[in-house]
Amino acid sequence: MPAAPSRTLLARGHALHLGPRTLIMGILNVTPDSFSDGGRSAAPDDALANARRLVAEGAEILDVGGESTRPGHTPVAAEDEWARIAPVIPALVAEMGVPVSVDTYKAEVARRALEAGASIVNDVWGFTHDPDMAKVVADYDAAAVVMHNRAEVDESLDIISEMLGFFERVLEIADRAGVKREKLVLDPGIGFGKSFPQNLAAIRRLPELRVLGLPILLGTSRKSLIGKVIQTTPQERVPGTIASNVIAIMDGGVEIIRVHDVAAHVQAARVAEAIRDAS
């Protein structure tokens, strides 16, 4: 599949050029219970050091999360979530020179993060969990990643039809709140409310989401999907993550990939794009 058409995502003073070159979003979890690194960036100084490394390796967006949302996670109160990311976001905004995304489904946390200088809200419930989230995004003229999610797995569903219906509802919510469509990015939500076959189908059939006319972000980094294909720990899943993202770049023209391992993915993405776009 050819590259997606070029477009610009405006995120509070940052212009992200989407299209032929896939952007790399680096993951910065400031949580003590991150499934992938066990709290490696929980302390503010460690978070900043890891952010510097991610940007040096080629991350063009930093996605900061104060609550683990892995399956079976323990929910965190908004005040506790904010306390984890409050020391980090202003420092990232001041130093890193790339847009900062806040990974939260709580409107109050998003509001505080945007007030502190964040540019993007990455909502794992796609405006459907907190009724105030879309308005916060609109009020701050932020960009947003809206992810497909389900409270329960239903293996009988055609997952692409389910996602299309979900995203249509999300777009209605966004429109009512005043969020401009060109501010939105879709995330199929790999590992969230889907069976193993549905996760595989969601990646394989990404081009079918193009009917909505919006850019796509894919997040498969170190997830259990890979461990179900071949038994591995999260830290051992880098090759599988690269494989899933290369397929998404080649077949789906995905505009953004969200990853822990930035340097490896910069190289993989550039090679995949060069092959895809060769005449």
Side-chain angles (χ1 to χ4, degrees):
M1 180 178 175
S6 296
R7 68 187 91 194
T8 300
L9 180 69
L10 298 177
R12 305 191 74 207
H14 294 274
L16 294 169
H17 301 293
L18 308 178
R21 191 173 66 84
T22 305
L23 300 188
I24 312 297
M25 174 186 274
I27 299 170
L28 191 67
N29 287 322
V30 290
T31 59
D33 57 346
S34 170
F35 86 93
S36 63
D37 60 22
R40 180 180 173 187
S41 296
D45 288 347
D46 292 337
L48 289 172
N50 285 324
R52 293 184 190 107
R53 175 182 54 80
L54 293 172
V55 172
E57 290 177 354
E60 292 149 299
I61 309 167
L62 290 172
D63 191 43
V64 183
E67 175 181 347
S68 173
T69 53
R70 71 187 190 282
H73 76 283
T74 301
V76 174
E79 288 297 328
D80 294 333
E81 183 180 350
W82 174 244
R84 292 173 178 175
I85 64 176
V88 176
I89 288 182
L92 296 177
V93 172
E95 179 181 338
M96 297 303 160
V98 301
V100 174
S101 166
V102 58
D103 181 2
T104 186
Y105 55 88
K106 302 181 185 75
E108 179 58 21
V109 174
R111 184 191 67 76
R112 294 185 187 186
L114 293 170
E115 193 68 31
S119 303
I120 302 167
V121 174
N122 182 10
D123 183 354
V124 298
W125 282 100
F127 294 167
T128 64
H129 185 275
D130 190 324
D132 295 326
M133 181 65 91
K135 185 176 186 304
V136 167
V137 170
D139 287 348
Y140 284 86
D141 198 29
V145 178
V146 288
M147 196 188 82
H148 173 267
N149 207 335
R150 288 181 54 82
E152 296 180 353
V153 174
D154 183 347
E155 296 187 18
S156 70
L157 293 174
D158 176 273
I159 199 60
I160 297 298
S161 295
E162 156 66 19
M163 282 196 282
L164 288 172
F166 176 91
F167 286 132
E168 289 287 3
R169 295 191 297 275
V170 169
L171 293 177
E172 290 174 3
I173 293 169
D175 186 59
R176 288 197 301 269
V179 179
K180 301 180 182 71
R181 184 171 286 221
E182 59 266 28
K183 295 282 190 178
L184 298 176
V185 177
L186 307 180
D187 179 348
I190 303 304
F192 289 81
K194 299 171 185 65
S195 67
F196 174 61
Q198 288 171 336
N199 281 311
L200 295 175
I203 299 171
R204 184 67 185 89
R205 297 170 60 191
L206 276 179
E208 295 178 46
L209 297 180
R210 292 293 177 190
V211 297
L212 297 173
L214 292 174
I216 297 172
L217 177 150
L218 185 68
T220 61
S221 191
R222 303 185 183 182
K223 287 186 175 178
S224 61
L225 163 78
I226 297 157
K228 290 177 181 176
V229 175
I230 182 166
Q231 188 172 359
T232 43
T233 66
Q235 292 75 19
E236 295 170 335
R237 295 172 187 165
V238 180
T241 303
I242 291 173
S244 65
N245 283 317
V246 165
I247 288 168
I249 291 168
M250 296 286 287
D251 292 349
V254 65
E255 286 89 348
I256 306 171
I257 53 176
R258 179 180 181 273
V259 299
H260 299 87
D261 306 284
V262 169
H265 279 90
V266 169
Q267 185 175 137
R270 299 298 86 87
V271 172
E273 292 153 5
I275 296 169
R276 180 196 64 197
D277 299 338
S279 58

